Amino acid sequence: MARMDGRTVFEWTNETGVIDMFLFNTEDYECNSKVMVELSGKPPLPLETSLGYNQCRWNYHTQEELLEVNALLTEHKIPTDFLWLDIEYSDSKMYFTFDKKAFPEPEQMLNALVESDRQLVTIVDPHCKHTAPVKADTSEDAQVNEIDASNKTEEAPNNKSSEQIEKSVEEVEPEKVHYLTTEAIEKELVVRNKDEELFVGDCWPGASVYIDFFNHRAQEFFGSQYLKKEHIQSNPHVHIWNDMNEPAVFVNQFEKTMPKNSIHVVSHYVSTESSDLIVDNFEHRDVHNLYGILMAKSSYEGLIKRDICLNGETRKLRSFLLSRSFYFGSQKF
């Protein structure tokens, strides 16, 4: 924006050549807000308890630690509605799982919170742990340095015997495979690279694949995880924090996100009255800002179905969902 010859001049640039723009010809804030909501959707009323004090930190590493905090909050009469669990609650950073050593009885832990009139929030990210090594895309588009994230072995110190070395190797646990990764790959619900092969990026678990939320089937698949009884997230006292959903990719040195030439399968219905799907491929550069909102949409719709179907009853409950990535219309979820 600049002033030129007494005029205000705006200039926009867009890498893909497409710009969607809404102009509001009024300085009335209330009017603008009303029009914005009409265009992008109304936010639901927030869960009442979410308006209270929330206790969150990086990180509570054990069930014992979280329950100690819960007890101290009660002892010191600190009104608290939600306690949050960041990524370390999970087994090897695989979402919808618990580290059984650190959190041996998650249901018991949740019951203790509920008895204290508190609820739980767990983090769920869009990347899924993969076992392949990560190598950065070295194309000009990706603008990244090549990084090999495969396991590296160090030369054994001289003061260790061969028997000690062999024993230490035997004690190393095999690489864990996330069921979510296996299913998503088998059903072709993950993002692909520019060669239309599996895109493997790097995030908290290390090598990771990414759910392709532009694919309608991927949205349904991801949302259905909140209904599975074996997941603590199926409990109505558990709420969700969608993080790292820009999406974040550590191996991309410059932009910390997917290479712009990554491929998404964008599926949508022909109309609101039709069950027929149209499927197109788009590069990430075309749709980057929409990734986070579609993840939030997937989680939101899954939580709504969870709470309606709870214990065979028909109950409409409001859930709490926090998304790190936000876009025009995110308030609907």
Side-chain angles (χ1 to χ4, degrees), residues 17-214:
V18 178
I19 295 179
D20 293 323
M21 185 184 304
F22 298 96
L23 298 177
F24 303 98
N25 188 25
T26 175
E27 295 182 358
D28 187 326
Y29 176 80
E30 184 175 345
C31 179
N32 284 341
S33 298
K34 182 178 180 180
V35 174
M36 284 279 287
V37 167
E38 290 174 351
L39 280 171
S40 60
K42 297 179 180 178
L45 286 172
L47 190 66
E48 185 177 10
T49 50
S50 69
L51 301 177
Y53 176 65
N54 286 236
Q55 176 63 29
C56 176
R57 59 165 290 189
W58 184 48
N59 199 103
Y60 295 119
H61 290 274
T62 66
Q63 176 176 325
E64 181 181 10
E65 184 181 9
L66 186 73
L67 290 178
E68 181 184 9
V69 170
N70 180 60
L72 288 171
L73 290 168
T74 300
E75 178 184 345
H76 295 286
K77 299 180 179 179
I78 300 175
T80 308
D81 290 310
F82 284 5
L83 273 76
W84 294 51
L85 284 177
D86 207 324
I87 193 169
E88 302 300 339
Y89 77 88
S90 61
D91 181 7
S92 302
K93 299 179 174 61
M94 298 187 296
Y95 306 103
F96 299 105
T97 70
F98 269 93
D99 181 337
K100 290 301 183 181
K101 293 181 179 178
F103 293 85
E105 299 290 343
E107 292 290 343
Q108 179 183 329
M109 176 186 69
L110 178 60
N111 290 338
L113 296 184
V114 173
E115 288 174 5
S116 302
D117 201 22
R118 298 189 178 105
Q119 302 191 50
L120 181 68
V121 178
T122 64
I123 195 169
V124 177
D125 291 353
H127 49 262
C128 304
K129 180 181 174 65
H130 193 46
T131 55
V134 181
K135 287 191 178 181
D137 188 336
T138 55
S139 65
E140 183 178 348
D141 247 345
Q143 293 184 324
V144 293
N145 292 332
E146 183 173 357
I147 297 176
D148 186 357
S150 58
N151 293 328
K152 295 179 174 60
T153 57
E154 295 181 359
E155 186 176 343
N158 293 330
N159 60 345
K160 281 192 175 182
S161 68
S162 58
E163 292 182 0
Q164 288 175 314
I165 295 172
E166 288 176 7
K167 183 178 180 181
S168 64
V169 171
E170 289 174 359
E171 291 174 349
V172 174
E173 292 185 3
E175 189 76 26
K176 294 182 179 179
V177 178
H178 194 187
Y179 83 92
L180 199 65
T181 304
T182 303
E183 288 188 29
I185 293 175
E186 288 178 351
K187 296 177 180 179
E188 299 183 343
L189 305 178
V190 292
V191 179
R192 293 171 292 158
N193 63 22
K194 60 183 175 62
D195 300 316
E196 299 204 2
E197 298 171 346
L198 186 67
F199 170 70
V200 181
D202 180 45
C203 209
W204 295 125
S208 304
V209 298
Y210 289 72
I211 302 294
D212 190 2
F213 292 104
F214 294 91

Side-chain angles (χ1 to χ4, degrees), residues 307-326:
D307 295 339
I308 288 177
C309 300
L310 185 66
N311 296 325
E313 301 178 11
T314 301
R315 299 194 297 170
K316 289 190 176 181
L317 304 176
R318 282 174 284 174
S319 299
F320 173 81
L321 172 65
L322 176 72
S323 173
R324 187 169 93 169
S325 176
F326 205 87

